[in-house]
Amino acid sequence: MNLIETALDVLDIGVDRFDYTAGGLHAQAWVRPEQLRPACRALYSLGFFLETVTAVDLIAGEIMQGVYLFNHYEQNMRCKIILETERINPVFPSIGAIYPGAVWHERETGEFFGITYENSRDSRCLLLPEETTFHPLRKDFKPQGQPVDTP
Amino acid sequence: MFESETAPTYHLETVEDNQFVLNLGPQHPGTHGVLRVVLHMDGEYILTADPVLGYGHRMQEKIAETMTYTQVLPYMARMDYLGALSYNQAWVCLIEKMCGLEVPRRAEYIRVLCVELNRIASHFLWFGAFLLDLGAFTPFLHAFADREKILDLLESVTGSRLTHCYFRFGGVGADVDDDFFAGAQAFVDHMRQHLPTYHSLVTGNVIFQERTKDVGVILPFETWGYGLSGPVLRGSGKQYDVRRSEPYSIYPELDFKIPVEQSGDCLARYLVRLREIEESLNIIEQAVAGMPDGPVRSKVPKIIKPPEGEAAMAVETPRGELMIYLVSDGTKVPYRVKYRVPSFANLSIFSHLARGQLLADVLAILGSLDMVIPEVDR
């Protein structure tokens, strides 16, 4: 039983192991939205550090995938927490109260994908101008012909 | 403990009599690049500090989704222009891992040699800029004179002094000659003699010690919540370096130490970086001595098409852990690329560190975090 399985075992979340040499990932775990915060709390208590919070827009399946990558300082153990929701007005729970560094990642991912992070303590735009209404990393965004006022 | 913190607001009518809002940057000479920090002050003390990012934002992740894998490569150097070769290495190693490409051993040695030279150059620039922030001008001149030697060396192999694009899938762009090895060895010998000057000029200086000791302390239990890495993390007593924990290239065969300091203040981060320069010199010496003969580039397909799936690749840049997460749909264009950049995570702890500090100390903290704004903004 590796460290991720130890963390997620009590929450009854299944862990799929990966071939690390092929993809650089040790394991992944699918969670439901209400399981995300307990899972992150368990990882935090075992000292997993937050690598990134991001998303993947799977336009073919009309799915927005939330991707959370964690690693550990003491032993090499990269794990991916993954959850899915519909593409239209996607909402994920915020983990900023558990991992304070996640607030910036969520602000960035939120503005790029049009994702709302529920109960986030700061949901302003981070990298794009404040009044931005488009979401450039959504697959239906066309890079051309979107004039924008720069500050 | 963090749940009570809310987003800072700046309505002048809510500011009390002895408080004011100070705008630090984006053109303030004390800041690096185009970082803007809105400081809510009470006299000389910071109540809240709110970094405002995005002045150098170019949407690199969207650019990567519109190009082939080979076309993305030059863009890597435009993120962290001070550690460009580390970014080169992350991208080529990721694609090589996904496509199963072979890399000749000579190419791996040349890569490590160039990356470590680049790391030292980056630390020199940080050293100069950090001490300029603290009001010392002479160390800047020493650091830039030595950095110039590295830039000359790297220019002779990569063709550029900044934003190098030298690595290729399956090897490096061109072979290097013996002059380069002789130059690298001469640089190592020169630095071994010159590095004590840095310490006698700066490290033992009373003013420098007063300005950095016990300032901006990052406690070990704060590190993983913010995802810190690199010298910022190692200054807080965590011995985490991707070159050792997740070995790539030829690093497992090389003999070098991971410098760690326990105190977590600006001085600790300064000492870690200076000791890293020494360790990088050791690596360069070993790479020159052990340089094998042979080809520098293996045969790779003209069109790079990684198989469908996902992969992550982490490397240690001068600022910490760079991780690229790639989702491929089997075509010649990436489906999704995520750059996890070290400066972004390291800067996110800044507002926590700045709270309650003096304005002059905040400049020391900003300098000691060593962020590159084009990398944060991407």
Side-chain angles (χ1 to χ4, degrees):
Chain A
M1 195 180 242
N2 63 27
L3 210 53
I4 305 159
E5 287 163 340
T6 314
L8 301 182
D9 189 41
V10 276
L11 300 167
D12 206 20
I13 297 171
V15 176
D16 311 324
R17 287 198 191 194
F18 283 164
D19 178 13
Y20 169 72
T21 49
L25 288 161
H26 285 90
Q28 77 167 14
W30 290 83
V31 296
R32 295 191 302 279
E34 67 272 17
Q35 287 175 318
L36 179 68
R37 282 156 176 264
C40 289
R41 218 167 279 134
L43 290 173
Y44 183 87
S45 65
L46 283 182
F48 277 90
F49 75 92
L50 179 75
E51 275 193 327
T52 191
V53 175
T54 185
V56 181
D57 181 11
L58 300 170
I59 193 166
E62 288 292 312
I63 288 169
M64 185 64 78
Q65 216 173 47
V67 175
Y68 299 75
L69 285 162
F70 298 91
N71 204 338
H72 202 277
Y73 290 139
E74 271 81 40
Q75 53 173 291
N76 179 22
M77 182 66 56
R78 178 170 294 117
C79 76
K80 186 174 92 174
I81 303 287
I82 195 165
L83 72 164
E84 286 187 349
T85 183
E86 72 272 23
R87 255 190 103 244
I88 313 297
N89 297 327
V91 179
F92 290 132
S94 166
I95 60 165
I98 303 156
Y99 280 93
V103 175
W104 275 24
H105 289 289
E106 287 173 356
R107 282 170 70 183
E108 184 198 313
T109 312
E111 64 186 347
F112 285 174
F113 287 92
I115 297 170
T116 311
Y117 285 93
E118 255 179 349
N119 299 326
S120 175
R121 68 177 150 94
D122 191 350
S123 54
R124 297 169 297 165
C125 281
L126 184 68
L127 296 175
L128 297 177
E130 273 170 45
E131 304 306 319
T132 309
T133 51
F134 56 85
H135 307 296
L137 280 181
R138 289 176 79 91
K139 284 288 173 184
D140 46 10
F141 174 81
K142 295 280 176 288
Q144 296 89 12
Q146 300 260 355
V148 57
D149 293 328
T150 46
Chain B
M1 66 184 281
F2 301 105
E3 295 194 60
S4 61
E5 297 175 7
T6 51
T9 48
Y10 308 99
H11 300 296
L12 284 176
E13 53 270 26
T14 65
V15 174
E16 289 170 28
D17 277 353
N18 52 343
Q19 299 177 358
F20 59 99
V21 174
L22 182 69
N23 198 31
L24 184 74
Q27 270 90 36
H28 190 283
T31 62
H32 302 269
V34 278
L35 173 68
R36 176 182 169 212
V37 186
V38 180
L39 298 167
H40 188 171
M41 317 260 311
D42 183 353
E44 277 285 288
Y45 288 92
I46 314 286
L47 296 173
T48 59
D50 183 30
V52 181
L53 309 179
Y55 290 92
H57 177 55
R58 291 147 292 168
M59 197 70 252
Q60 293 273 10
E61 291 169 15
K62 186 71 177 179
I63 292 173
E65 285 179 16
T66 62
M67 295 191 162
T68 65
Y69 289 90
T70 320
Q71 286 170 333
V72 175
L73 183 54
Y75 279 89
M76 301 304 294
R78 268 77 186 168
M79 275 183 274
D80 182 359
Y81 52 88
L82 298 178
L85 286 169
S86 304
Y87 272 68
N88 272 223
Q89 196 178 21
W91 185 249
V92 296
C93 286
L94 175 67
I95 304 303
E96 282 155 8
K97 187 195 268 182
M98 275 197 104
C99 297
L101 302 176
E102 289 285 316
V103 186
R105 274 187 69 76
R106 186 176 170 85
E108 291 280 23
Y109 268 81
I110 294 173
R111 279 182 187 177
V112 166
L113 178 51
C114 292
V115 163
E116 295 303 325
L117 280 172
N118 205 193
R119 188 185 313 276
I120 298 177
S122 169
H123 282 350
F124 278 159
L125 192 138
W126 161 80
F127 179 85
F130 177 49
L131 285 150
L132 266 186
D133 285 358
L134 298 179
F137 190 67
T138 317
F140 174 81
L141 299 174
H142 280 271
F144 267 60
D146 286 333
R147 180 169 175 263
E148 202 66 15
K149 294 187 174 67
I150 302 179
L151 293 190
D152 287 343
L153 273 174
L154 288 179
E155 187 185 11
S156 71
V157 290
T158 67
S160 53
R161 296 172 72 79
L162 215 61
T163 61
H164 318 282
C165 178
Y166 175 49
F167 301 164
R168 304 286 186 272
F169 302 129
V172 293
D175 202 354
V176 294
D177 53 11
D178 290 338
D179 287 352
F180 175 66
F181 298 135
Q185 187 58 50
F187 173 76
V188 171
D189 297 338
H190 164 76
M191 275 321 295
R192 291 241 166 90
Q193 283 185 347
H194 199 209
L195 215 51
T197 315
Y198 284 56
H199 286 293
S200 58
L201 197 61
V202 179
T203 314
N205 186 304
V206 179
I207 302 171
F208 173 73
Q209 293 262 343
E210 291 285 323
R211 289 290 306 274
T212 53
K213 211 167 188 183
D214 298 330
V215 171
V217 177
I218 300 175
L219 297 168
F221 72 84
E222 292 170 332
T223 52
W224 66 88
Y226 286 93
L228 304 182
S229 58
V232 177
L233 172 72
R234 292 192 285 275
S236 296
K238 295 266 179 191
Q239 198 172 37
Y240 175 74
D241 188 311
V242 184
R243 291 174 293 176
R244 276 283 183 254
S245 74
E246 242 180 289
Y248 56 96
S249 194
I250 53 159
Y251 283 112
E253 302 162 29
L254 298 171
D255 176 30
F256 64 99
K257 292 192 204 69
I258 308 297
V260 175
E261 290 285 329
Q262 302 296 333
S263 52
D265 51 8
C266 293
L267 183 63
R269 297 191 274 279
Y270 164 90
L271 289 172
V272 165
R273 290 202 183 88
L274 277 198
R275 283 168 59 199
E276 263 186 38
I277 293 177
E278 289 170 34
E279 294 302 327
S280 290
L281 291 175
N282 289 341
I283 297 176
I284 291 168
E285 202 167 39
Q286 290 170 48
V288 171
M291 183 68 64
D293 287 328
V296 292
R297 221 172 150 181
S298 63
K299 266 219 150 334
V300 296
K302 276 238 159 51
I303 296 171
I304 302 284
K305 270 191 191 176
E308 205 176 326
E310 57 181 354
M313 175 77 209
V315 301
E316 184 78 15
T317 75
R319 267 153 285 283
E321 181 196 349
L322 162 70
M323 194 269 298
I324 304 181
Y325 173 68
L326 173 73
V327 179
S328 161
D329 57 355
T331 59
K332 58 184 180 180
V333 178
Y335 187 78
R336 169 92 178 98
V337 183
K338 169 71 191 173
Y339 305 117
R340 183 262 189 234
V341 292
S343 293
F344 186 90
N346 291 351
L347 184 60
S348 69
I349 199 174
F350 169 69
S351 42
H352 173 66
L353 292 180
R355 200 168 294 131
Q357 300 286 323
L358 287 164
L359 178 60
D361 288 344
V362 159
L363 291 180
I365 294 170
L366 261 184
S368 75
L369 292 178
D370 184 23
M371 67 282 172
V372 170
I373 299 302
E375 183 195 27
V376 178
D377 288 349
R378 281 159 289 146

